Each structure stands twice: as structure tokens, then as C-alpha cells.
């Protein structure tokens, strides 16, 4: 394991990903982590960048025990400065903040047998790197030497004379440093000598064993499934581990996509063999959503109603389990666990030393669910990034169209119907959305787009059909490309595809006479319209 200590840089999770892409397990922890409290011994430590200056009063500092661990340490940007600060170097503000590309000149080292340092071995004399800093090293820490410089940063890369301590001012984890992956590889593979045993095949085996150990011989697990990648993969993994002791519950909230509940049932139950109950609660949800326009209120109502319905269903499963127990033989035990499809980015967000970042919209999840039942949480995906979950899904034989599926928000179509939500409005939007996605798939563009969906606008516009004037509703189409949905760009469709989509929607969906395409990026817009 590589331990990555996070000082709050926006790129910290990328360092973790780069290590894992090399099949080396890496774990991100807050920089305030005490080394003596670690429950594993890392093979190496990476100190991340940070928005702070090391000499700020409130600057985060590392437990200096990392320098006594006897393992290699790599400091990136602030990490370099933090290392120097602790090892008696000097850091000061740059005359000019450096932000952007720079050329790194790799130093020729005359002592020893190597001509360049192990960190840059076989990477050439010069490479493009990405800088983003306001401070830099102005004096070398004791017993360090320079291994690379740029025009503005004489100490752009440094190494200890005898210990495996390295510092680099640039960011190897971003794609703007084209050889950055290789530099991280030199550190993780050659210098730390990590084994490349972090693979999804290994993960499945270990995780199934872990789940079996946690859940023991008896006791049931319940979990919600939505038809999305995360909950499907988590459910399948639980099924592999404990079979029918896992119960999946799907709540049809009336604002799902066209035929979604049916499709999820077919796939999870028939194809993947998961024990699944689909609850049609659409009447209840739609009655509570009646006349509600405010997006936050829609989210709250859906979130709370979901909890009510899920709890009711969980109680039924528990009652059945209790009855079975009374009869004695072969009982599978009571409901003890709640499965959650939490992913690593959610974990990272909540472990940050700064605390969770501010959310702009209240995202619906199953948070304080089932307090009375005192269920323990089980989160088999909490170590994984989204693309790792997809790889896991493929290995678990989940169909690829599902594994590659765009995300779908918990409050569903309710936040894509801009006015009040009624069954009629839901049907109009479901129909338009299914045509849109069908045509995107037909044009083989689905995998190039991060998220695509239709939105039903609360306006009416005039049109003409045959000889008749129409006065009907408007559909807006949204398609974005995004790495992490914090920022997003609108997708550039070939005109032909848009033409076909528009013509099909206006011809086939009763009640729609106009289609528009949303060309707003995030920020300033958001991905969803509500
Ligand atoms: P925004 O609209 O915030 O969307 O730019 C970013 C991503 O989050 C999804 N999203 C939600 N997901 N509950 C969810 O589960 C919500 O309330 C919610 N609101 C937005 C959105 O679909 C996009 O992928």
C-alpha cells in the first residue's frame, strides 16, 4: 500500500488513481493522520499539494514520524515544501505565481553509478510538466541535492543524499504532465518496490471473503437498488458472497425512466439471480409531489417518502425472518445489515481534514435510514472509484450496457419536470427521453457522453401541424461531457443526429411541438435543470 496524505489539493484523488492504475493499492488519508495509528505499514508515502502556504498559521502539517518510517517519501508541490520545512529548508513566496506548463531539465548526477536519479530514470533530459504554485523552495533542506530545475524554479525537483526522500514542485498526477504517470511509476514501482497486485480479480475474491467474515453464518442484509451501476454491482457482490441472505429492494417512485422497474427486475432477478422485491409506490410519491414546484422540496419529499417505503418493506422482511426463526430449522437469521453503494470519492470527501465540502444541492441518499432497526452498514465498494466499479461489474457478468450507464439522480424525473409533477407529465418526459437515448445509442455516441437526458419545460409554444395551429410543451435536451460532474461541457452533436431526435420527438410524443438543445456549461449552469 502507498499512503497518500492529503493536504487539501484538488488533485489528491488523482494521485490515488494513478497509483491504482499501476495496479498498486493506494489509500488517501487526511494529512493529520497520526502514523502510530495506522493499521498497516505503507511501502511508501506521498504528500499531496495544498491551497495553503507552509508558513501560514493555520497551515496543515504532517506527523513528522513519516520521515522515521524507513520508507520512501515523495512530496508533490506543497508536499515538497512541507518536507523541506520539516527538514530545515526554506520556503518563500514566488515573485511570480507559476501556473501552467514548464520545461523540466533533469540534472545529470555525477556521484554513484547512475547518470540521473531513480525518479527520472530513462525519462530523458527534458520534459514538460504542469506547475501550479505560489510558493517555492528558496533554500535546500539539509542533505538534499537538486535533480531537476525549470526556468523559474531552481529547486523544481530534489532528492535526499542518502535516504529515499524526493520532492517535486510540479504535479505529475495531472494529464498536463505527460510523463507524470511514469514518474509516479518510478516512485511506486522502482523506489518503493510495490507489488502490482491491486486488480479487480483479486478484489472480488478478497471482498467476498471479507463480506462472509463480517456477516458470519447467519443474519440477513437488505439494500436498495436503483438500476444504476453502483447499487447493481454492490447487490451482485453481496449475492455472490451470501446468496439469498441478501434482499434487494427497488422502490418504484413513479419518476423512473421508461420501463425501468421492469428492466431492473428482469436483469437483477432473472439474469443475476439476486433476491429482489420491487415495490410500486408510484401513487404515494406522485400524490405527495402534487403541486410541488420547488426543486429542494421535491428532493426532500422523494427522499423522505423513499425512506418510509423502504422501511416498511424492510420491516416485512424482518417480520418474515422472525416468523421463520420461530419455526426453527434452517433459519437464515434476522436483518442485521444495510448495504450501501458508497464509493471512494464519497469516503474521501468525508475524511478530508477540512470536513465535507459544501453541497450546492441536497443530494438524496439513504443517510439516517432505519435508525430503529439499528442496522450496521456494509459498504463493499467504499475503496473503489467509479471506473473500478465498472470493471468490477464486467467481471461479475453485469451486461455492459448497464455497466456503462450514465448516472441517474435519486429524485429522478421529478427534477427534470420543471413544473408540477403529474403522471401525464412523467409519461411525456419518459417517452421523449427514451427516444433521445435510443437515437444517441443508434449513433454510437452514448459512451462519448457522460450524461444525457431530456427535460420537460413548463412553457407552451405555438406550432403548426398539418393545417392546424398547435400550442404545446417544449422539451430541452441536455448532454454533457465531464470527468467528475464538478465541471461539465455541453456535447457537440452532429447536426444530423439532433435533426433526427427532434423530428422523432415532435412526431411521436403527443403534447410536444418544439425541441431545444441546452448549450450551457457547468459552471455557471448545473448539469440538471433543477
Ligand atoms: P448538478 O446538477 O449538481 O449534477 O450539476 C451533478 C451530478 O449529480 C447528479 N444529481 C443528483 N444525484 N440526487 C442524486 O442522486 C440528486 O438530488 C441530484 N442532483 C443532481 C446529476 O444527475 C449529475 O450527474
Amino acid at each position: 500500500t502507498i499512503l497518500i496524505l492529503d493536504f487539501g489539493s484538488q488533485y489528491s484523488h488523482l494521485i490515488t488513481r494513478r497509483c491504482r492504475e499501476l495496479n498498486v493499492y493506494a489509500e488517501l488519508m487526511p494529512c493529520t493522520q497520526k502514523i502510530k495509528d495506522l493499521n498497516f505499514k505503507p511501502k511508501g508515502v506521498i504528500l499531496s499539494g495544498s491551497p495553503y502556504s507552509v508558513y501560514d498559521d493555520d497551515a496543515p502539517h504532517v506527523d513528522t514520524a513519516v520521515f522515521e518510517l524507513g520508507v520512501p517519501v515523495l512530496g508533490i508541490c506543497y508536499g515538497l515544501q512541507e518536507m523541506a520545512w520539516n527538514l530545515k529548508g526554506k520556503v518563500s513566496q514566488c515573485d511570480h505565481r507559476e501556473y501552467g506548463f514548464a520545461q523540466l531539465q533533469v540534472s545529470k548526477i555525477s556521484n554513484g553509478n547512475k547518470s540521473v536519479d531513480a525518479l527520472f530514470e530513462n525519462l530523458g533530459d527534458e520534459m514538460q510538466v504542469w506547475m501550479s504554485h505560489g510558493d517555492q523552495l528558496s533554500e535546500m533542506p539539509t542533505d538534499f541535492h537538486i535533480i531537476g530545475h525549470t526556468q523559474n524554479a531552481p529547486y523544481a525537483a530534489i532528492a535526499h543524499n542518502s535516504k529515499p526522500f524526493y520532492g517535486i514542485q510540479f504535479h505529475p498526477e495531472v494529464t498536463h504532465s505527460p510523463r507524470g504517470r511514469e514518474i509516479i511509476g518510478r516512485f511506486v514501482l522502482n523506489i518503493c518496490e510495490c507489488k502490482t497486485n491491486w486488480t479487480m480479480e483479486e478484489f472480488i475474491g478478497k471482498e467476498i471473503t471479507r463480506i462472509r467474515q463480517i456477516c458470519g453464518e447467519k443474519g440477513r442484509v437488505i439494500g436498495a437498488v436503483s438500476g444504476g451501476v453502483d447499487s447493481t454491482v454492490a447487490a451482485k457482490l453481496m449475492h455472490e458472497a451470501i446468496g439469498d441472505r441478501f434482499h434487494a429492494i427497488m422502490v418504484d417512485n413513479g419518476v423512473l425512466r421508461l420501463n425501468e422497474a421492469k428492466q431492473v427486475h428482469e436483469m437483477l432477478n432473472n439474469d443475476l439471480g439476486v433476491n429482489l422485491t420491487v415495490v410500486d409506490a408510484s401513487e404515494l410519491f406522485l400524490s405527495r409531489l402534487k403541486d410541488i414546484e420547488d426543486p429542494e422540496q421535491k428532493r426532500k419529499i422523494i427522499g423522505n417518502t423513499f425512506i418510509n417505503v423502504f422501511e416498511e418493506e424492510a420491516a416485512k422482511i424482518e417480520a418474515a425472518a422472525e416468523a421463520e426463526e420461530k419455526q426453527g430449522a434452517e433459519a437464515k437469521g434476522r436483518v442485521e445489515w444495510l448495504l450501501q453503494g458508497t464509493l471512494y470519492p464519497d469516503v474521501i470527501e468525508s475524511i478530508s481534514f477540512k470536513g465535507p465540502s459544501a453541497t450546492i444541492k441536497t443530494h438524496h441518499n439513504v443517510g439516517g435510514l432505519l435508525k430503529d432497526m439499528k442496522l450496521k452498514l456494509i459498504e463493499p465498494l467504499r475503496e473503489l472509484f467509479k471506473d473500478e466499479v465498472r470493471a468490477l461489474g464486467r467481471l461479475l457478468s453485469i451486461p455492459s450496457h448497464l455497466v456503462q450507464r450514465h448516472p441517474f439522480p435519486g429524485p429522478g424525473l421529478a427534477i427534470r419536470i420543471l413544473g408540477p409533477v403529474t403522471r401525464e407529465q412523467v409519461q411525456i418526459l419518459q417517452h421523449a427521453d427514451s427516444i433521445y437515448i435510443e437515437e444517441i445509442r443508434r449513433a454510437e455516441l452514448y459512451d462519448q457522453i457522460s450524461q444525457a437526458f431530456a427535460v420537460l419545460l413548463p412553457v407552451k409554444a405555438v406550432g403548426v401541424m398539418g393545417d392546424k395551429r398547435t400550442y404545446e410543451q417544449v422539451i430541452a435536451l441536455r448532454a454533457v461531457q465531464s470527468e467528475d460532474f464538478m465541471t461539465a461541457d455541453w456535447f457537440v452533436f452532429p447536426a444530423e443526429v439532433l435533426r433526427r431526435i427532434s423530428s422523432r420527438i415532435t412526431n411521436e410524443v403527443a403534447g410536444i411541438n418544439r425541441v431545444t438543445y441546452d448549450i450551457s456549461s457547468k459552471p455557471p449552469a448545473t448539469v440538471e435543470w433543477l
Side-chain angles (χ1 to χ4, degrees):
T1 303
I2 292 287
L3 169 63
I4 296 157
L5 291 173
D6 174 30
F7 292 86
S9 152
Q10 53 177 331
Y11 304 133
S12 300
H13 69 283
L14 285 180
I15 311 174
T16 322
R17 297 192 58 150
R18 297 292 168 257
C19 294
R20 292 193 186 181
E21 283 163 10
L22 295 162
N23 297 336
V24 170
Y25 184 63
E27 193 148 339
L28 187 69
M29 293 190 154
C31 57
T32 46
Q33 173 68 41
K34 288 274 168 272
I35 297 300
K36 68 172 171 40
D37 296 338
L38 286 177
N39 57 7
F40 62 96
K41 164 128 192 215
K43 296 270 286 180
V45 181
I46 300 180
L47 312 178
S48 84
S50 175
Y52 290 87
S53 292
V54 282
Y55 45 76
D56 284 346
D57 286 341
D58 56 349
H61 290 293
V62 70
D63 177 357
T64 53
V66 300
F67 303 111
E68 312 297 327
L69 262 173
V71 301
V73 182
L74 171 66
I76 295 176
C77 194
Y78 181 95
L80 155 75
Q81 294 152 21
E82 174 70 4
M83 183 186 280
W85 176 263
N86 279 293
L87 303 174
K88 312 214 165 30
K90 203 165 170 192
V91 178
S92 52
Q93 218 162 8
C94 299
D95 293 339
H96 306 284
R97 271 189 91 241
E98 227 188 337
Y99 187 82
F101 292 111
Q103 276 306 111
L104 180 81
Q105 307 290 333
V106 175
S107 310
K108 293 276 176 234
I109 297 167
S110 49
N111 59 345
N113 300 328
K114 290 182 186 152
S115 63
V116 287
D117 194 89
L119 197 61
F120 301 134
E121 209 173 318
N122 297 329
L123 295 181
D125 302 338
E126 199 179 301
M127 68 184 93
Q128 182 186 305
V129 295
W130 180 258
M131 292 283 196
S132 169
H133 62 110
D135 292 334
Q136 67 176 6
L137 210 59
S138 48
E139 209 173 274
M140 288 284 271
T142 324
D143 294 331
F144 273 75
H145 58 276
I146 296 172
I147 59 172
H149 68 276
T150 66
Q151 198 171 3
N152 291 327
Y155 308 116
I158 62 171
H160 194 277
N161 296 342
S162 54
K163 296 179 189 169
F165 294 166
Y166 298 87
I168 50 185
Q169 186 58 68
F170 56 91
H171 289 274
E173 68 276 28
V174 302
T175 50
H176 298 311
S177 296
R179 312 216 62 177
R181 285 167 197 262
E182 292 165 272
I183 296 174
I184 293 175
R186 296 291 183 276
F187 179 72
V188 169
L189 303 177
N190 301 4
I191 298 172
C192 300
E193 300 182 338
C194 287
K195 289 206 192 80
T196 51
N197 56 4
W198 168 254
T199 62
M200 276 305 127
E201 286 87 349
E202 291 256 339
F203 176 85
I204 292 181
K206 278 195 215 145
E207 194 53 29
I208 287 179
T209 312
R210 198 182 73 97
I211 295 169
R212 287 184 182 148
Q213 272 165 0
I214 294 176
C215 298
E217 297 287 311
K218 254 184 163 188
R220 297 171 200 254
V221 181
I222 52 169
V225 289
S226 65
V229 189
D230 307 343
S231 63
T232 305
V233 171
K236 174 69 175 158
L237 197 58
M238 289 309 294
H239 177 73
E240 294 283 307
I242 58 166
D244 272 358
R245 282 163 56 202
F246 171 63
H247 297 253
I249 299 170
M250 168 152 197
V251 177
D252 181 350
N253 58 14
V255 281
L256 301 176
R257 286 167 287 195
L258 192 66
N259 295 329
E260 183 126 47
K262 192 164 151 257
Q263 282 165 8
V264 172
H265 186 263
E266 272 168 20
M267 196 234 346
L268 266 172
N269 201 292
N270 303 356
D271 302 346
L272 300 177
V274 173
N275 195 355
L276 170 78
T277 312
V278 179
V279 193
D280 180 1
S282 53
E283 280 301 328
L284 177 66
F285 278 87
L286 291 175
S287 68
R288 290 191 186 171
L289 284 169
K290 195 168 173 285
D291 301 327
I292 306 292
E293 291 200 31
D294 177 67
E296 287 303 287
Q297 240 191 313
K298 285 180 179 174
R299 282 188 168 81
K300 238 182 232 136
I301 289 171
I302 292 178
N304 293 339
T305 310
F306 176 86
I307 293 176
N308 299 154
V309 174
F310 188 84
E311 279 189 329
E312 215 170 276
E313 214 42 51
K316 284 185 200 160
I317 294 172
E318 174 70 349
E322 200 180 334
E324 192 188 86
E325 204 173 56
K326 283 198 181 116
Q327 293 182 349
E330 299 293 313
K332 296 184 190 126
R334 305 286 283 270
V335 179
E336 290 180 32
W337 302 88
L338 176 67
L339 172 72
Q340 293 232 279
T342 318
L343 300 196
Y344 202 48
D346 310 324
V347 177
I348 292 173
E349 196 170 14
S350 60
I351 61 162
S352 160
F353 71 96
K354 296 174 298 183
S357 59
T359 39
I360 297 171
K361 299 174 186 176
T362 37
H363 281 206
H364 147 70
N365 67 38
V366 203
L369 186 60
L370 304 172
K371 280 198 203 77
D372 297 342
M373 289 180 76
K374 299 203 175 57
L375 297 179
K376 294 165 275 187
L377 272 192
I378 185 157
E379 300 175 306
L381 310 181
R382 62 176 286 122
E383 288 177 356
L384 306 184
F385 287 107
K386 190 83 177 185
D387 49 341
E388 293 175 323
V389 175
R390 294 204 161 108
L392 179 59
R394 280 185 212 104
L395 283 174
L396 290 169
S397 314
I398 295 171
S400 67
H401 67 86
L402 195 141
V403 164
Q404 286 307 117
R405 211 165 183 204
H406 296 168
F408 184 66
L413 301 183
I415 55 168
R416 296 175 178 172
I417 293 172
L418 267 53
V421 181
T422 62
R423 204 174 272 279
E424 294 69 41
Q425 293 289 73
V426 170
Q427 281 163 354
I428 290 174
L429 182 56
Q430 279 178 333
H431 192 177
D433 189 71
S434 77
I435 292 173
Y436 183 36
I437 299 299
E438 191 181 308
E439 287 301 330
I440 289 175
R441 285 201 189 272
R442 196 200 302 273
E444 294 181 0
L445 296 172
Y446 191 83
D447 291 341
Q448 291 175 40
I449 299 170
S450 309
Q451 198 174 7
F453 53 89
V455 178
L456 183 57
L457 303 187
V459 287
K460 282 189 159 188
V462 171
V464 55
M465 206 168 219
D467 293 333
K468 279 213 307 265
R469 176 185 179 278
T470 59
Y471 184 53
E472 290 175 333
Q473 296 192 96
V474 182
I475 282 283
L477 304 175
R478 183 87 164 127
V480 297
Q481 286 179 312
S482 172
E483 279 276 321
D484 54 8
F485 295 99
M486 301 299 287
T487 62
D489 261 333
W490 56 277
F491 181 73
V492 182
F493 274 108
E496 269 319 301
V497 179
L498 283 179
R499 198 190 311 277
R500 200 162 43 238
I501 294 166
S502 159
S503 137
R504 278 197 62 194
I505 292 178
T506 45
N507 278 303
E508 295 174 34
V509 184
I512 300 295
N513 67 1
R514 203 171 280 257
V515 175
T516 64
Y517 186 55
D518 180 355
I519 50 167
S520 326
S521 59
K522 173 182 180 176
T526 51
V527 175
E528 302 288 347
W529 277 49
L530 289 184

